[in-house]
């Protein structure tokens, strides 16, 4: 396979998955002159709405994947859980410059933690769990509270159980039906941060400004950039992210989610080998967005500058916020409002996001709070601080 192949504007980029990440990748790619093909089971997916070609089929449907590959000059994906057989076929028969190693590692928390440690970065203390007895046996060492996570398939806190006391252990039976799990020490973090970086086929790496991420109910609520962290924490976070990029010979964009403790220890929580919700701010706030950068990397174009043009605060619009933002959007002339084209505003569903550029993040945070659109989230954040 010719890994040095350059994909030029006019050629077709195939994307597996038609969600908002695929949509924003496509919008960047189309601005650069590429054509987009997308595979998604939904004919009206966020990405399908802006793509040139749509293949309607399940993500694991090998025939549909072959059809996508046939019309695409290069392939990428917008989510991690790509079927193993499909991935094998793709990496052998089609042009997938990102390869499959990092994707396979990120599909399985057990492999992911082991590989992160091999790369020389830290993860929170953890144990691999296959049955209830394993939890009893390891709880003493890890201590309460701990969090049990399925090795495969979880996101936004799904497939997780916080074990606060001995009586909670019996609740783990359900998760263990899904196969092996990891039991992680609860990190009493000061902040959550993420480093997003992109690697090229020539070994070039570019790092985006670190974002500070606030989750409510396990879903990202707000991203603040630049992260309000010490220089020492920033250096450690970037060093770890670069070590991971080097270890995996990163091609494309990778998000490294991290916990930062009071004493500035950095622990890697998880890896997402694709553009990430915490990098949406880069669309307006950086010289090159995470989406353009990803397209550049897979097309073998030189990377752009990731310089921060202005501090920014990004807030997610979930289903429950949509009607409130639609009422106020016209008033918020300085807000950059993005909607992903999803028709049904379900609770907790990511419908869009807002980016507010600012001189001081505190001013934008206050502005978002004052709008009362995210009143539910603000109340929960205050509750959590008590
Ligand atoms: P995850 O699906 O692993 O990204 O977890 C979702 C969220 O749960 C994280 O962003 C944290 O807010 C919280 N969380 C997960 N694992 C831990 C942990 N070991 N210690 C503290 N908080 C955690």
């Amino acid at each position: 396979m010719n890994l040095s192949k350059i994909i030029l504007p006019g050629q077709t980029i195939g994307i597996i998955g038609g969600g908002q990440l695929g949509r924003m990748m496509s919008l960047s790619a189309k601005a650069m002159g590429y054509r987009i093909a997308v595979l998604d089971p939904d004919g009206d997916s966020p990405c399908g709405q802006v793509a040139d070609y749509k293949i309607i089929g399940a993500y694991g449907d090998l025939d549909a994947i072959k059809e996508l590959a046939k019309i695409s000059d290069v392939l990428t994906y917008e989510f991690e859980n790509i079927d193993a057989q499909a991935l094998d076929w793709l990496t052998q028969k089609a042009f997938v410059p990102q390869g499959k190693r990092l994707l396979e590692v990120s599909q399985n928390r057990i492999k992911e933690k082991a590989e992160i440690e091999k790369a020389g970065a830290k993860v929170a203390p953890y144990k691999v769990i296959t049955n209830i007895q394993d939890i009893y046996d390891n709880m003493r060492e890890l201590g309460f509270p701990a969090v049990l996570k399925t090795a495969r398939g979880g996101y936004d806190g799904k497939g997780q159980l916080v074990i606060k006391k001995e009586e909670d252990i019996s609740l783990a039976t359900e998760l263990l039906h899904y196969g092996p799990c990891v039991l992680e020490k609860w990190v009493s973090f000061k902040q959550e941060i993420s480093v997003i970086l992109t690697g090229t086929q020539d070994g070039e790496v570019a790092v985006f400004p670190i974002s500070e991420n606030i989750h409510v109910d396990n879903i990202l609520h707000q991203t603040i950039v630049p992260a309000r962290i010490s220089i020492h924490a920033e250096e450690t976070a970037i060093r770890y992210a670069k070590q991971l990029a080097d270890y995996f010979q990163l091609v494309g964009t990778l998000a490294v989610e991290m916990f930062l403790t009071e004493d500035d220890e950095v622990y890697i929580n998880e890896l997402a080998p694709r553009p990430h919700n915490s990098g949406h701010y880069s669309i307006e706030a950086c010289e090159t967005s995470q989406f353009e950068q990803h397209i550049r990397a897979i097309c073998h174009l030189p990377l752009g500058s990731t310089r921060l043009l202005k501090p920014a605060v990004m807030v997610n619009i979930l289903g429950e916020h949509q009607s409130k933002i639609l009422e106020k959007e016209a008033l918020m002339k300085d807000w950059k409002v993005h909607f992903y084209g999803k028709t049904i505003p379900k609770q907790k569903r990511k419908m869009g996001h807002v980016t507010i550029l600012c001189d001081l993040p505190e001013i934008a945070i206050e502005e978002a709070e004052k709008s009362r659109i995210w009143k539910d989230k603000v109340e929960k954040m205050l509750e959590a601080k008590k």
Side-chain angles (χ1 to χ4, degrees):
M1 196 184 302
N2 177 12
L3 270 184
S4 60
K5 192 156 79 175
I6 296 178
I7 308 296
L8 291 170
Q11 291 186 281
T12 301
I13 300 171
I15 304 177
I16 302 171
Q20 62 266 21
L21 298 174
R23 178 186 177 101
M24 289 183 273
M25 272 185 212
S26 302
L27 293 173
S28 278
K30 286 185 74 81
M32 295 161 83
Y34 291 101
R35 288 181 182 274
I36 297 293
V38 62
L39 165 67
D40 197 88
D42 177 2
D44 187 41
S45 66
C47 182
Q49 292 168 14
V50 299
D52 298 277
Y53 314 107
K54 285 187 271 193
I55 310 288
I56 298 168
Y59 307 127
D61 175 349
L62 197 53
D63 288 333
I65 289 206
K66 287 180 180 172
E67 216 183 311
L68 178 76
K70 208 163 128 195
I71 54 171
S72 305
D73 297 291
V74 61
L75 283 131
T76 187
Y77 46 83
E78 59 126 38
F79 68 107
E80 286 92 292
N81 292 317
I82 294 174
D83 173 80
Q85 194 199 359
L87 191 59
D88 278 341
W89 184 88
L90 277 168
T91 45
Q92 282 163 30
K93 303 279 193 243
F95 183 47
V96 186
Q98 288 161 275
K100 67 173 183 176
R101 182 163 160 238
L102 181 54
L103 187 70
E104 278 178 342
V105 166
S106 69
Q107 286 178 347
N108 183 323
R109 288 190 196 268
I110 301 173
K111 276 193 199 168
E112 185 179 59
K113 288 185 186 295
E115 294 286 299
I116 291 170
E117 287 188 309
K118 273 196 211 158
K122 263 200 219 160
V123 293
Y126 74 99
K127 298 285 176 188
V128 176
I129 299 294
T130 52
N131 55 53
I132 290 276
Q133 191 55 44
D134 286 345
I135 306 183
Y136 283 105
D137 293 347
N138 287 294
M139 226 36 237
R140 193 183 301 268
E141 195 181 320
L142 291 175
F144 292 99
V147 53
L148 186 72
K149 301 180 181 177
T150 53
R152 288 181 169 274
Y155 69 97
D156 284 349
K158 294 189 179 81
Q160 296 191 10
L161 173 74
V162 180
I163 300 178
K164 293 187 180 139
K165 49 189 186 316
E166 191 149 344
E167 295 82 86
D168 296 341
I169 297 181
S170 60
L171 304 174
T173 320
E174 201 189 320
L175 282 195
L176 285 161
H177 281 314
Y178 294 97
C181 291
V182 292
L183 182 64
E184 252 174 65
K185 188 179 171 64
W186 188 257
V187 180
S188 55
F189 55 76
K190 174 174 68 169
Q191 282 151 307
E192 290 189 79
I193 56 172
S194 55
V195 181
I196 297 177
L197 71 177
T198 312
T200 69
Q201 297 160 55
D202 305 319
E204 184 191 354
V205 170
V207 184
F208 283 93
I210 299 183
S211 56
E212 177 184 338
N213 304 320
I214 297 168
H215 293 83
V216 179
D217 294 336
N218 281 320
I219 301 175
L220 182 66
H221 165 55
Q222 196 169 50
T223 287
I224 300 159
V225 187
R228 297 162 298 177
I229 59 176
S230 70
I231 291 177
H232 174 256
E234 186 178 340
E235 281 171 0
T236 311
I238 291 178
R239 176 161 48 81
Y240 281 170
K242 283 186 168 169
Q243 274 169 226
L244 287 162
D246 189 42
Y247 180 79
F248 288 109
Q249 298 182 318
L250 176 67
V251 177
T253 293
L254 166 71
V256 187
E257 292 185 60
M258 306 176 181
F259 300 133
L260 179 65
T261 66
E262 278 300 339
D263 46 8
D264 267 0
E265 292 274 0
V266 175
Y267 294 101
I268 312 293
N269 177 29
E270 61 180 2
L271 307 177
R274 51 165 172 78
H276 191 256
N277 195 169
S278 64
H280 292 356
Y281 77 88
S282 63
I283 297 176
E284 286 92 7
C286 292
E287 218 163 285
T288 309
S289 79
Q290 61 165 351
F291 299 104
E292 179 183 338
Q293 198 79 309
H294 183 71
I295 297 297
R296 289 181 157 276
I298 60 166
C299 293
H300 203 183
L301 301 180
L303 296 180
S305 160
T306 55
R307 191 166 69 91
L308 188 69
L309 302 173
K310 223 169 175 193
V313 172
M314 187 282 321
V315 197
N316 270 334
I317 304 170
L318 304 185
E320 54 270 39
H321 308 125
Q322 176 160 301
S323 61
K324 290 190 208 127
I325 197 134
L326 289 174
E327 277 165 28
K328 301 211 176 181
E329 187 179 352
L331 304 174
M332 305 300 179
K333 65 181 174 54
D334 296 327
W335 289 16
K336 304 294 176 194
V337 182
H338 297 243
F339 277 110
Y340 307 143
K342 298 180 189 177
T343 40
I344 306 168
K346 285 193 211 143
Q347 277 275 109
K348 298 192 174 181
R349 188 178 197 201
K350 290 175 184 168
M351 304 301 291
H353 71 267
V354 172
T355 299
I356 310 173
L357 298 177
C358 47
D359 293 321
L360 266 183
E362 281 69 21
I363 296 172
I365 295 169
E366 203 186 313
E367 200 179 303
E369 254 175 47
K370 270 197 185 148
S371 75
R372 299 181 67 76
I373 292 167
W374 294 277
K375 192 169 155 267
D376 57 329
K377 300 279 178 188
V378 174
E379 281 168 2
K380 284 191 176 156
M381 284 193 287
L382 290 174
E383 191 63 32
K385 272 188 195 153
K386 276 185 194 163

